Amino acid sequence: QSALTQPPSASGSPGQSVTISCTGTSSDVGGYASVSWYQQHPGKAPKLLIYAISERPSGVPDRFSGSRSGNTASLTVSGLQAEDEADYYCCSYAGSNGYVFGIGTKLTVL
Amino acid sequence: QLVQSGGGSVQPGGSLRVSCAASGFIFGRHWMKWVRQAPGKGPEWVSEVDGDGSTTNYADSVKGRFTVSRDNAKNTLFLQMHSLRAEDTAVYYCTRSGSPFAFDVWGQGTVVTVSS
């Protein structure tokens, strides 16, 4: 099972919006309504931001939103803040292959 | 909350066990999963077990070498690792599957190093 494709880096200024893409196949991203997104700061465990493509767990700011079109999912971070600087990973259920994560995107707040 | 213990350094071919103690939620109601992250890499799903321990699944990379289990009376999850290889070197996280098909609570991580 190949890792999901993400851009290695993204950036934006405070207050701006940034969108990170996550491309898979019809066997994972496009086949199940199960894409999730995680934020990871250096030396810390990942934190769940989005599940089921676009649902936010309680406590996650509504600046974070998710969507999907075909085999590509997207995470949008609106109103960028300095603390949003981190690595972001997508993940999808992949049926009999379990779960597959993305390679990660390093978000820099300029 | 998930608090991990175990892990450490081992030579190739060796064995290790990682434990994960859960608190603050009804442990037996949730699928639990193990995820690992090699240095500088993205996370990788390793295994999962259902609420009563009767169903387990594994990534192809660890199938036949790793065993996931749980003790619901002690609210503890385990990952027993055998025939360890250099490519198993990673930080291992236990996670809860509280949201559908997602990992919503994470342990602090345990370092496993396989090296001669």
Side-chain angles (χ1 to χ4, degrees):
Chain A
Q1 186 74 22
S2 298
L4 304 177
T5 301
Q6 297 180 235
S9 63
S11 63
S13 299
Q16 289 186 331
S17 294
V18 170
T19 296
I20 298 170
S21 63
C22 169
T23 301
T25 69
S26 58
S27 297
D28 39 63
V29 173
Y32 303 94
S34 63
V35 176
S36 54
W37 289 90
Y38 301 85
Q39 177 191 63
Q40 186 177 34
H41 288 106
K44 300 294 187 180
K47 173 190 173 183
L48 178 65
L49 294 176
I50 298 288
Y51 67 96
I53 301 176
S54 59
E55 299 297 316
R56 266 180 294 106
S58 61
V60 174
D62 60 6
R63 302 187 296 105
F64 295 91
S65 62
S67 63
R68 182 187 68 174
S69 177
N71 296 334
T72 298
S74 298
L75 172 73
T76 297
V77 186
S78 305
L80 270 176
Q81 300 180 4
E83 58 262 36
D84 297 334
E85 186 160 298
D87 293 325
Y88 291 81
Y89 297 95
C90 60
C91 179
S92 176
Y93 180 64
S96 59
N97 291 314
Y99 295 80
V100 59
F101 281 87
I103 60 175
T105 297
K106 182 176 181 60
L107 175 61
T108 300
V109 180
L110 302 171
Chain B
Q1 184 181 5
L2 300 173
V3 178
Q4 299 179 222
S5 59
S9 295
V10 66
Q11 292 187 336
S15 300
L16 280 175
R17 188 174 85 158
V18 184
S19 302
C20 172
S23 62
F25 64 95
I26 302 175
F27 182 65
R29 288 188 179 176
H30 295 277
W31 282 76
M32 297 295 293
K33 306 175 192 295
W34 289 98
V35 173
R36 68 184 181 184
Q37 188 169 25
K41 303 291 187 181
E44 177 192 11
W45 171 76
V46 172
S47 69
E48 62 183 359
V49 58
D50 71 349
D52 64 8
S54 61
T55 301
T56 58
N57 295 302
Y58 299 91
D60 287 344
S61 58
V62 306
K63 200 172 294 183
R65 301 187 298 121
F66 289 14
T67 301
V68 59
S69 62
R70 63 193 298 162
D71 183 339
N72 285 350
K74 296 183 178 179
N75 289 345
T76 303
L77 176 72
F78 303 99
L79 183 67
Q80 178 69 55
M81 301 177 283
H82 295 295
S83 303
L84 283 161
R85 307 166 181 167
E87 54 264 35
D88 295 319
T89 294
V91 176
Y92 284 72
Y93 295 99
C94 64
T95 73
R96 186 186 79 167
S97 190
S99 301
F101 299 104
F103 311 81
D104 66 343
V105 180
W106 293 66
Q108 82 276 18
T110 299
V111 177
V112 170
T113 302
V114 184
S115 174
S116 54

